[in-house]
Coordinates of all heavy atoms in Angstrom, one line a residue:
M319 N -21.7 15.4 -62.0 CA -21.8 16.3 -60.8 C -21.7 15.4 -59.6 O -21.1 15.8 -58.6 CB -23.0 17.1 -60.8 CG -23.0 18.1 -59.8 SD -23.3 19.7 -60.6 CE -23.0 20.7 -59.3
T320 N -22.2 14.2 -59.6 CA -22.2 13.4 -58.5 C -20.8 12.9 -58.2 O -20.4 12.6 -57.1 CB -23.1 12.2 -58.6 OG1 -22.8 11.5 -59.8 CG2 -24.5 12.6 -58.7
D321 N -19.9 12.7 -59.3 CA -18.6 12.3 -59.1 C -17.8 13.4 -58.3 O -17.0 13.0 -57.5 CB -17.9 12.1 -60.5 CG -18.5 10.8 -61.2 OD1 -19.0 10.0 -60.4 OD2 -18.4 10.7 -62.4
Q322 N -18.0 14.6 -58.6 CA -17.3 15.7 -57.9 C -17.7 15.7 -56.5 O -16.9 15.9 -55.6 CB -17.7 17.0 -58.6 CG -16.7 17.4 -59.7 CD -17.1 18.8 -60.1 OE1 -18.2 19.3 -59.9 NE2 -16.1 19.5 -60.8
T323 N -19.0 15.5 -56.2 CA -19.5 15.6 -54.8 C -18.9 14.5 -54.0 O -18.4 14.7 -52.9 CB -21.0 15.5 -54.8 OG1 -21.6 16.4 -55.7 CG2 -21.6 15.7 -53.5
S324 N -18.8 13.3 -54.6 CA -18.2 12.1 -53.8 C -16.7 12.3 -53.6 O -16.2 12.0 -52.6 CB -18.6 10.8 -54.4 OG -17.9 10.8 -55.7
A325 N -16.1 12.9 -54.6 CA -14.6 13.1 -54.5 C -14.3 14.2 -53.4 O -13.4 14.0 -52.7 CB -14.1 13.5 -55.9
S326 N -15.1 15.2 -53.4 CA -14.8 16.3 -52.4 C -15.2 15.8 -51.0 O -14.5 16.2 -50.0 CB -15.6 17.5 -52.8 OG -17.0 17.3 -52.6
N327 N -16.1 14.9 -50.9 CA -16.5 14.3 -49.6 C -15.3 13.5 -49.0 O -15.0 13.5 -47.9 CB -17.8 13.5 -49.6 CG -19.0 14.5 -49.6 OD1 -18.9 15.6 -49.3 ND2 -20.1 13.9 -50.1
S328 N -14.7 12.7 -49.9 CA -13.7 11.8 -49.5 C -12.4 12.6 -49.1 O -11.7 12.2 -48.2 CB -13.3 10.8 -50.6 OG -12.8 11.5 -51.7
E329 N -12.2 13.8 -49.7 CA -11.1 14.6 -49.3 C -11.3 15.3 -48.0 O -10.4 15.5 -47.2 CB -10.8 15.7 -50.4 CG -10.3 15.1 -51.7 CD -10.2 16.2 -52.8 OE1 -10.5 17.4 -52.5 OE2 -9.8 15.8 -53.9
T330 N -12.5 15.6 -47.7 CA -12.8 16.3 -46.4 C -12.9 15.3 -45.3 O -12.7 15.6 -44.1 CB -14.2 17.1 -46.5 OG1 -15.2 16.1 -46.9 CG2 -14.1 18.2 -47.5
D331 N -13.1 14.0 -45.6 CA -13.2 13.0 -44.6 C -11.8 12.6 -44.0 O -11.7 12.2 -42.9 CB -13.8 11.7 -45.1 CG -15.3 11.9 -45.3 OD1 -15.9 12.8 -44.8 OD2 -15.9 11.0 -46.0
V332 N -10.7 12.8 -44.8 CA -9.4 12.4 -44.3 C -9.0 13.2 -43.1 O -8.5 12.6 -42.1 CB -8.4 12.6 -45.5 CG1 -7.0 12.4 -45.0 CG2 -8.7 11.6 -46.6
P333 N -9.1 14.5 -43.0 CA -8.7 15.2 -41.8 C -9.5 14.8 -40.6 O -9.0 14.7 -39.5 CB -8.8 16.7 -42.1 CG -8.8 16.8 -43.6 CD -9.3 15.5 -44.1
Q334 N -10.8 14.5 -40.8 CA -11.7 14.1 -39.7 C -11.3 12.8 -39.2 O -11.3 12.5 -38.0 CB -13.1 14.1 -40.2 CG -14.1 13.9 -39.1 CD -15.6 14.0 -39.6 OE1 -15.8 14.1 -40.8 NE2 -16.5 13.9 -38.7
R335 N -10.9 11.8 -40.1 CA -10.5 10.5 -39.7 C -9.2 10.6 -38.9 O -9.0 9.9 -37.9 CB -10.2 9.6 -40.9 CG -11.5 9.1 -41.5 CD -11.2 8.1 -42.6 NE -12.3 8.0 -43.5 CZ -12.2 7.8 -44.8 NH1 -11.0 7.7 -45.4 NH2 -13.2 7.7 -45.6
R336 N -8.3 11.5 -39.3 CA -7.0 11.6 -38.6 C -7.3 12.2 -37.2 O -6.7 11.8 -36.2 CB -6.1 12.5 -39.4 CG -5.5 11.9 -40.5 CD -4.5 12.8 -41.2 NE -4.0 12.2 -42.4 CZ -3.5 12.9 -43.5 NH1 -3.4 14.2 -43.4 NH2 -3.1 12.2 -44.5
R337 N -8.2 13.2 -37.1 CA -8.5 13.8 -35.9 C -9.2 12.8 -34.9 O -8.8 12.7 -33.8 CB -9.5 15.0 -36.1 CG -9.4 16.0 -35.0 CD -10.2 17.3 -35.3 NE -10.2 17.7 -36.7 CZ -11.2 18.0 -37.4 NH1 -12.4 18.0 -36.9 NH2 -11.1 18.4 -38.7
S338 N -10.1 12.0 -35.4 CA -10.8 11.0 -34.6 C -9.8 9.9 -34.1 O -9.9 9.4 -33.0 CB -12.0 10.4 -35.3 OG -11.6 9.6 -36.4
S339 N -8.8 9.5 -35.0 CA -7.9 8.5 -34.6 C -6.9 9.1 -33.5 O -6.5 8.4 -32.6 CB -7.1 8.0 -35.8 OG -6.2 9.0 -36.3
A340 N -6.6 10.4 -33.6 CA -5.7 11.0 -32.6 C -6.5 11.1 -31.3 O -5.9 10.8 -30.2 CB -5.3 12.4 -33.1
V341 N -7.8 11.4 -31.3 CA -8.6 11.4 -30.1 C -8.7 10.0 -29.5 O -8.5 9.9 -28.3 CB -10.0 12.0 -30.4 CG1 -10.9 11.9 -29.2 CG2 -9.9 13.5 -30.8
G342 N -8.8 9.1 -30.4 CA -8.9 7.7 -29.9 C -7.6 7.2 -29.2 O -7.6 6.6 -28.2
R343 N -6.5 7.6 -29.8 CA -5.2 7.3 -29.2 C -5.0 8.0 -27.9 O -4.5 7.4 -26.9 CB -4.0 7.6 -30.2 CG -3.7 6.5 -31.1 CD -2.5 6.8 -31.9 NE -2.9 7.4 -33.2 CZ -2.5 8.6 -33.7 NH1 -1.6 9.3 -33.1 NH2 -3.0 9.0 -34.9
T344 N -5.4 9.2 -27.8 CA -5.3 10.0 -26.6 C -6.2 9.3 -25.5 O -5.7 9.1 -24.4 CB -5.9 11.4 -26.8 OG1 -5.1 12.0 -27.8 CG2 -5.7 12.2 -25.5
F345 N -7.4 8.9 -25.8 CA -8.2 8.2 -24.8 C -7.6 6.9 -24.4 O -7.7 6.5 -23.2 CB -9.6 8.0 -25.3 CG -10.5 9.2 -25.3 CD1 -11.3 9.6 -26.3 CD2 -10.5 10.0 -24.1 CE1 -12.1 10.7 -26.3 CE2 -11.3 11.1 -24.0 CZ -12.1 11.5 -25.1
L346 N -7.0 6.2 -25.4 CA -6.3 4.9 -25.1 C -5.2 5.1 -24.0 O -5.1 4.4 -23.0 CB -5.8 4.3 -26.3 CG -4.9 3.0 -26.1 CD1 -5.9 1.9 -25.7 CD2 -4.2 2.7 -27.4
W347 N -4.4 6.1 -24.3 CA -3.2 6.4 -23.3 C -3.7 6.9 -22.0 O -3.1 6.6 -20.9 CB -2.2 7.3 -24.0 CG -1.4 6.7 -25.0 CD1 -1.4 6.8 -26.3 CD2 -0.4 5.6 -24.8 NE1 -0.5 6.0 -27.0 CE2 0.1 5.2 -26.0 CE3 0.0 5.0 -23.6 CZ2 1.1 4.3 -26.1 CZ3 1.0 4.0 -23.7 CH2 1.5 3.7 -25.0
V348 N -4.8 7.7 -22.0 CA -5.3 8.2 -20.7 C -5.9 7.0 -20.0 O -5.7 6.8 -18.7 CB -6.4 9.2 -21.0 CG1 -7.3 9.5 -19.7 CG2 -5.8 10.5 -21.5
G349 N -6.6 6.1 -20.6 CA -7.1 4.9 -20.0 C -6.0 4.0 -19.4 O -6.1 3.5 -18.3
I350 N -4.9 3.8 -20.2 CA -3.8 3.0 -19.7 C -3.1 3.7 -18.5 O -2.8 3.1 -17.5 CB -2.7 2.9 -20.8 CG1 -3.3 1.9 -21.9 CG2 -1.4 2.3 -20.3 CD1 -2.4 1.8 -23.1
G351 N -3.0 5.0 -18.5 CA -2.5 5.8 -17.4 C -3.3 5.6 -16.1 O -2.8 5.4 -15.0
I352 N -4.6 5.8 -16.3 CA -5.5 5.6 -15.2 C -5.5 4.2 -14.6 O -5.5 4.0 -13.4 CB -7.0 6.0 -15.6 CG1 -7.1 7.5 -15.8 CG2 -8.0 5.6 -14.5 CD1 -8.4 8.0 -16.4
G353 N -5.4 3.2 -15.5 CA -5.3 1.8 -15.1 C -4.0 1.6 -14.3 O -4.0 0.9 -13.3
A354 N -2.9 2.1 -14.8 CA -1.6 1.9 -14.1 C -1.6 2.6 -12.7 O -1.2 2.0 -11.7 CB -0.5 2.5 -14.9
V355 N -2.2 3.8 -12.6 CA -2.2 4.5 -11.3 C -3.2 3.7 -10.4 O -2.9 3.6 -9.2 CB -2.7 6.0 -11.5 CG1 -3.1 6.6 -10.2 CG2 -1.6 6.8 -12.3
S356 N -4.3 3.2 -10.9 CA -5.2 2.5 -10.0 C -4.5 1.2 -9.5 O -4.7 0.9 -8.3 CB -6.5 2.1 -10.8 OG -7.1 3.3 -11.2
A357 N -3.8 0.5 -10.4 CA -3.1 -0.7 -10.0 C -2.1 -0.4 -8.9 O -1.9 -1.1 -7.9 CB -2.5 -1.4 -11.2
A358 N -1.3 0.7 -9.1 CA -0.3 1.0 -8.1 C -0.9 1.4 -6.8 O -0.4 1.0 -5.7 CB 0.6 2.2 -8.7
A359 N -2.0 2.1 -6.8 CA -2.6 2.5 -5.6 C -3.2 1.3 -4.9 O -3.1 1.2 -3.6 CB -3.7 3.6 -5.9
L360 N -3.8 0.4 -5.6 CA -4.4 -0.8 -5.0 C -3.3 -1.6 -4.4 O -3.4 -2.1 -3.2 CB -5.2 -1.6 -6.0 CG -5.8 -2.9 -5.5 CD1 -6.9 -2.6 -4.5 CD2 -6.4 -3.7 -6.7
T361 N -2.2 -1.8 -5.1 CA -1.1 -2.5 -4.6 C -0.5 -1.9 -3.3 O -0.2 -2.6 -2.3 CB 0.1 -2.6 -5.6 OG1 -0.5 -3.3 -6.8 CG2 1.2 -3.4 -5.1
Y362 N -0.4 -0.6 -3.3 CA 0.1 0.1 -2.1 C -0.8 -0.1 -0.9 O -0.3 -0.4 0.2 CB 0.2 1.6 -2.4 CG 0.5 2.5 -1.2 CD1 1.8 2.5 -0.7 CD2 -0.5 3.2 -0.6 CE1 2.1 3.3 0.5 CE2 -0.2 3.9 0.5 CZ 1.0 4.0 1.1 OH 1.3 4.7 2.2
F363 N -2.1 0.0 -1.1 CA -3.0 -0.1 0.1 C -3.0 -1.6 0.6 O -3.2 -1.8 1.7 CB -4.3 0.4 -0.3 CG -4.4 1.9 -0.3 CD1 -4.6 2.6 -1.5 CD2 -4.1 2.7 0.9 CE1 -4.6 4.0 -1.5 CE2 -4.1 4.0 0.8 CZ -4.4 4.7 -0.3
V364 N -3.0 -2.5 -0.4 CA -3.0 -3.9 0.1 C -1.7 -4.3 0.8 O -1.8 -4.9 1.9 CB -3.2 -4.9 -1.2 CG1 -2.9 -6.3 -0.8 CG2 -4.6 -4.7 -1.7
L365 N -0.6 -3.8 0.3 CA 0.7 -4.1 1.0 C 0.7 -3.4 2.4 O 1.2 -3.9 3.4 CB 1.9 -3.7 0.2 CG 2.2 -4.6 -1.0 CD1 3.3 -4.0 -1.8 CD2 2.6 -6.0 -0.5
R366 N 0.2 -2.1 2.4 CA 0.2 -1.4 3.6 C -0.7 -2.1 4.7 O -0.3 -2.1 5.8 CB -0.3 0.0 3.3 CG -0.3 0.9 4.5 CD -0.7 2.3 4.2 NE -1.0 3.1 5.4 CZ -1.9 4.0 5.5 NH1 -2.6 4.3 4.5 NH2 -2.1 4.6 6.6
A367 N -1.8 -2.6 4.2 CA -2.7 -3.2 5.2 C -2.1 -4.5 5.7 O -2.3 -4.8 6.9 CB -4.1 -3.5 4.5
T368 N -1.4 -5.3 4.9 CA -0.9 -6.5 5.4 C 0.4 -6.3 6.2 O 0.6 -7.0 7.2 CB -0.5 -7.5 4.2 OG1 0.4 -6.8 3.3 CG2 -1.8 -7.9 3.4
I369 N 1.2 -5.3 5.9 CA 2.4 -5.1 6.6 C 2.1 -4.4 7.9 O 2.7 -4.7 9.0 CB 3.4 -4.3 5.8 CG1 3.9 -5.2 4.6 CG2 4.6 -3.8 6.6 CD1 4.8 -4.4 3.6
M370 N 1.3 -3.4 7.9 CA 1.0 -2.6 9.1 C -0.1 -3.3 10.0 O -0.4 -2.7 11.0 CB 0.5 -1.2 8.7 CG 1.5 -0.5 7.8 SD 2.9 0.0 8.7 CE 2.3 1.5 9.5
Q371 N -0.5 -4.5 9.7 CA -1.5 -5.1 10.5 C -1.0 -5.4 11.9 O 0.1 -5.8 12.1 CB -1.8 -6.5 9.8 CG -3.1 -7.0 10.3 CD -3.5 -8.3 9.4 OE1 -2.6 -9.1 9.2 NE2 -4.7 -8.4 9.0
Q372 N -1.8 -5.0 12.9 CA -1.3 -5.2 14.2 C -1.3 -6.6 14.6 O -2.3 -7.3 14.3 CB -2.2 -4.4 15.2 CG -2.0 -2.9 15.1 CD -2.9 -2.2 16.1 OE1 -3.7 -2.7 16.8 NE2 -2.7 -0.9 16.2
R373 N -0.3 -7.0 15.2 CA -0.2 -8.4 15.7 C -0.9 -8.6 17.0 O -0.8 -7.7 17.8 CB 1.3 -8.8 15.8 CG 2.0 -8.7 14.5 CD 3.5 -9.1 14.8 NE 4.2 -8.8 13.5 CZ 5.5 -8.5 13.5 NH1 6.2 -8.6 14.6 NH2 6.1 -8.3 12.4
P374 N -1.6 -9.7 17.1 CA -2.3 -9.9 18.4 C -1.2 -10.1 19.5 O -0.2 -10.7 19.2 CB -3.1 -11.1 18.2 CG -2.5 -11.8 17.0 CD -1.9 -10.7 16.2
P375 N -1.5 -9.7 20.7 CA -0.5 -9.9 21.8 C -0.3 -11.4 22.0 O -1.2 -12.1 22.4 CB -1.1 -9.2 23.0 CG -2.6 -9.1 22.7 CD -2.7 -9.0 21.2
A376 N 0.9 -11.8 21.7 CA 1.2 -13.2 21.9 C 2.0 -13.4 23.1 O 2.7 -12.5 23.6 CB 2.0 -13.7 20.7
T377 N 1.9 -14.6 23.7 CA 2.7 -14.9 24.9 C 4.1 -15.2 24.4 O 4.4 -16.2 23.8 CB 2.2 -16.1 25.6 OG1 2.0 -17.2 24.7 CG2 0.8 -15.8 26.2
D378 N 5.0 -14.2 24.6 CA 6.4 -14.3 24.2 C 7.2 -14.9 25.3 O 7.1 -14.5 26.5 CB 6.9 -12.9 23.9 CG 8.2 -12.9 23.2 OD1 8.7 -14.0 22.9 OD2 8.8 -11.8 23.1
E379 N 7.9 -16.0 25.0 CA 8.8 -16.6 26.1 C 9.8 -15.7 26.6 O 10.1 -15.7 27.8 CB 9.4 -17.9 25.4 CG 8.5 -19.0 25.1 CD 9.2 -20.2 24.4 OE1 10.4 -20.2 24.6 OE2 8.5 -21.0 23.8
T380 N 10.4 -14.8 25.8 CA 11.4 -13.9 26.3 C 10.7 -12.9 27.3 O 11.3 -12.6 28.3 CB 12.0 -13.1 25.1 OG1 12.5 -14.1 24.2 CG2 13.1 -12.2 25.5
A381 N 9.6 -12.4 26.9 CA 8.9 -11.4 27.8 C 8.5 -12.1 29.1 O 8.7 -11.5 30.2 CB 7.7 -10.9 27.1
D382 N 8.1 -13.3 29.1 CA 7.8 -14.1 30.3 C 9.0 -14.3 31.1 O 9.0 -14.1 32.4 CB 7.1 -15.4 30.0 CG 5.7 -15.3 29.4 OD1 5.1 -14.2 29.5 OD2 5.3 -16.2 28.7
R383 N 10.1 -14.6 30.5 CA 11.4 -14.8 31.2 C 11.8 -13.5 31.9 O 12.3 -13.5 33.0 CB 12.4 -15.4 30.3 CG 13.7 -15.6 30.9 CD 13.7 -16.8 31.8 NE 15.0 -17.0 32.4 CZ 15.3 -17.3 33.7 NH1 14.3 -17.5 34.5 NH2 16.5 -17.4 34.1
I384 N 11.8 -12.4 31.2 CA 12.2 -11.1 31.7 C 11.3 -10.8 32.9 O 11.8 -10.3 33.9 CB 12.1 -10.0 30.6 CG1 13.2 -10.3 29.6 CG2 12.2 -8.7 31.2 CD1 13.1 -9.4 28.4
Q385 N 10.0 -11.0 32.8 CA 9.1 -10.7 33.9 C 9.5 -11.6 35.1 O 9.5 -11.1 36.3 CB 7.6 -11.0 33.5 CG 6.6 -10.5 34.5 CD 6.7 -9.0 34.8 OE1 6.9 -8.2 33.8 NE2 6.5 -8.6 36.0
D386 N 9.8 -12.9 34.9 CA 10.2 -13.7 36.0 C 11.5 -13.2 36.7 O 11.6 -13.3 37.9 CB 10.4 -15.2 35.5 CG 9.1 -15.8 35.2 OD1 8.0 -15.4 35.6 OD2 9.1 -16.8 34.4
L387 N 12.4 -12.8 35.9 CA 13.7 -12.3 36.4 C 13.5 -11.0 37.2 O 14.1 -10.8 38.3 CB 14.7 -12.0 35.3 CG 15.3 -13.3 34.6 CD1 16.1 -12.9 33.4 CD2 16.1 -14.1 35.6
I388 N 12.6 -10.1 36.8 CA 12.3 -8.9 37.5 C 11.6 -9.3 38.9 O 12.0 -8.7 39.9 CB 11.3 -8.0 36.7 CG1 12.1 -7.4 35.5 CG2 10.8 -6.9 37.5 CD1 11.2 -6.7 34.5
Q389 N 10.7 -10.2 38.9 CA 10.1 -10.6 40.1 C 11.1 -11.2 41.1 O 11.1 -11.0 42.3 CB 8.9 -11.6 39.8 CG 7.7 -10.9 39.2 CD 6.7 -11.9 38.8 OE1 6.9 -13.1 38.8 NE2 5.5 -11.4 38.3
E390 N 12.0 -12.1 40.5 CA 13.0 -12.7 41.4 C 14.0 -11.6 41.9 O 14.3 -11.7 43.1 CB 13.8 -13.7 40.5 CG 14.8 -14.5 41.3 CD 15.6 -15.5 40.5 OE1 15.1 -15.8 39.4 OE2 16.6 -16.0 41.0
A391 N 14.3 -10.6 41.1 CA 15.2 -9.5 41.6 C 14.5 -8.8 42.7 O 15.1 -8.4 43.7 CB 15.6 -8.6 40.4
N392 N 13.2 -8.5 42.5 CA 12.5 -7.8 43.6 C 12.4 -8.6 44.9 O 12.6 -8.0 46.0 CB 11.0 -7.5 43.1 CG 11.0 -6.4 42.1 OD1 11.9 -5.5 42.0 ND2 10.0 -6.4 41.2
R393 N 12.3 -9.9 44.8 CA 12.3 -10.8 46.0 C 13.7 -10.7 46.7 O 13.8 -10.6 47.9 CB 11.9 -12.2 45.7 CG 10.4 -12.4 45.7 CD 10.2 -13.9 45.3 NE 10.4 -13.9 43.9 CZ 10.1 -14.8 43.0 NH1 9.7 -15.9 43.5 NH2 10.3 -14.7 41.8
L394 N 14.7 -10.8 45.9 CA 16.1 -10.7 46.4 C 16.3 -9.3 47.1 O 16.9 -9.3 48.2 CB 17.1 -10.9 45.3 CG 17.2 -12.4 44.8 CD1 18.1 -12.4 43.6 CD2 17.6 -13.3 45.9
I395 N 15.9 -8.3 46.5 CA 16.0 -6.9 47.1 C 15.3 -6.9 48.4 O 15.8 -6.4 49.4 CB 15.6 -5.8 46.1 CG1 16.5 -5.8 44.9 CG2 15.5 -4.5 46.8 CD1 16.1 -4.9 43.8
K396 N 14.1 -7.4 48.4 CA 13.3 -7.4 49.6 C 14.0 -8.2 50.7 O 14.0 -7.8 51.9 CB 11.9 -8.0 49.3 CG 10.9 -7.9 50.5 CD 9.6 -8.4 50.0 CE 8.6 -8.4 51.2 NZ 7.3 -9.0 50.9
T397 N 14.5 -9.4 50.4 CA 15.2 -10.2 51.3 C 16.5 -9.5 51.9 O 16.7 -9.6 53.1 CB 15.7 -11.6 50.7 OG1 14.5 -12.2 50.1 CG2 16.3 -12.5 51.7
L398 N 17.2 -8.8 51.0 CA 18.4 -8.1 51.5 C 18.0 -7.0 52.4 O 18.7 -6.7 53.4 CB 19.2 -7.5 50.3 CG 20.0 -8.5 49.5 CD1 20.5 -7.8 48.2 CD2 21.1 -9.1 50.3
D399 N 16.9 -6.3 52.1 CA 16.4 -5.2 53.0 C 16.0 -5.7 54.3 O 16.3 -5.1 55.4 CB 15.3 -4.5 52.3 CG 15.7 -3.5 51.2 OD1 16.9 -3.2 51.1 OD2 14.8 -3.2 50.4
E400 N 15.4 -6.9 54.4 CA 15.0 -7.5 55.6 C 16.2 -7.9 56.5 O 16.3 -7.7 57.7 CB 14.1 -8.7 55.4 CG 12.7 -8.4 54.9 CD 11.9 -9.6 54.5 OE1 12.4 -10.8 54.6 OE2 10.7 -9.4 54.1
K401 N 17.3 -8.4 55.8 CA 18.5 -8.8 56.5 C 19.2 -7.6 57.0 O 19.8 -7.6 58.1 CB 19.4 -9.6 55.6 CG 18.9 -11.0 55.4 CD 20.0 -11.8 54.6 CE 19.5 -13.2 54.3 NZ 20.4 -14.0 53.6
K402 N 19.2 -6.5 56.3 CA 19.9 -5.2 56.8 C 19.2 -4.7 58.0 O 19.8 -4.1 58.9 CB 19.9 -4.2 55.7 CG 20.9 -4.4 54.6 CD 20.8 -3.3 53.6 CE 21.7 -3.5 52.4 NZ 21.7 -2.4 51.5
Q403 N 17.9 -4.8 58.1 CA 17.1 -4.3 59.2 C 17.3 -5.1 60.5 O 17.2 -4.6 61.6 CB 15.6 -4.2 58.8 CG 15.3 -3.2 57.8 CD 13.9 -3.1 57.4 OE1 13.1 -3.9 57.9 NE2 13.5 -2.2 56.5
T404 N 17.7 -6.4 60.4 CA 17.8 -7.2 61.5 C 19.2 -7.2 62.0 O 20.2 -6.8 61.7 CB 17.4 -8.7 61.3 OG1 18.2 -9.1 60.2 CG2 16.0 -8.8 61.1

């Protein structure tokens, strides 16, 4: 009678093992998916933070040159206006 009992137990264990391995595979793929999404999100935010980082106002030679030209033009206009009035 013990032989029958052990044989019937081994037969009932097979579907349970298959079910637990399917659940295990499902959890494995869910974990891989969550890991991939987390890695993509982290990469996105790191790249966004480095690319969108505001640059400190630097002394730009071109901007300085443009400002000098504007001031010179204003002086010339003022000089022309003074000559017109005299």
Side-chain angles (χ1 to χ4, degrees):
M319 190 128 186
T320 58
D321 292 336
Q322 270 186 341
T323 307
S324 63
S326 64
N327 282 342
S328 65
E329 290 175 5
T330 57
D331 287 346
V332 172
Q334 186 177 8
R335 284 187 203 145
R336 286 184 186 157
R337 205 173 320 131
S338 65
S339 68
V341 171
R343 273 188 263 126
T344 301
F345 282 134
L346 174 70
W347 284 110
V348 167
I350 289 171
I352 289 172
V355 169
S356 299
L360 180 65
T361 302
Y362 170 77
F363 286 115
V364 167
L365 287 176
R366 182 176 167 215
T368 57
I369 292 172
M370 301 292 278
Q371 198 174 43
Q372 289 183 351
R373 297 178 189 155
T377 55
D378 187 12
E379 293 179 16
T380 306
D382 292 341
R383 179 71 178 139
I384 291 171
Q385 188 62 37
D386 291 340
L387 290 172
I388 292 171
Q389 290 173 353
E390 185 178 345
N392 287 336
R393 274 181 284 188
L394 290 172
I395 292 171
K396 186 177 177 182
T397 305
L398 286 173
D399 285 342
E400 288 173 358
K401 286 185 179 181
K402 284 182 183 179
Q403 289 178 359
T404 55

